[in-house]
Amino acid sequence: MWFTVFIGVNLIQSAFTKWCLLETILVKLGVKKEGVGCSVK
């Protein structure tokens, strides 16, 4: 349940700030930046 809450809050927050915590985490894990993120830029 907490994972679902994290995803929901992250999506709402990124809609207002254009910054996505998940994108930051994935880039640090080595995922390429193309196609990564909460929203299309």
Side-chain angles (χ1 to χ4, degrees):
M1 180 176 113
W2 290 110
F3 181 72
T4 305
V5 171
F6 168 75
I7 297 299
V9 170
N10 190 35
L11 287 171
I12 293 168
Q13 171 267 324
S14 68
F16 291 105
T17 64
K18 306 296 185 207
W19 176 77
C20 181
L21 177 61
L22 180 61
E23 180 180 1
T24 304
I25 293 169
L26 290 175
V27 168
K28 287 187 181 200
L29 290 175
V31 178
K32 291 183 180 181
K33 193 163 178 136
E34 294 178 327
V36 174
C38 298
S39 62
V40 178
K41 295 177 182 160

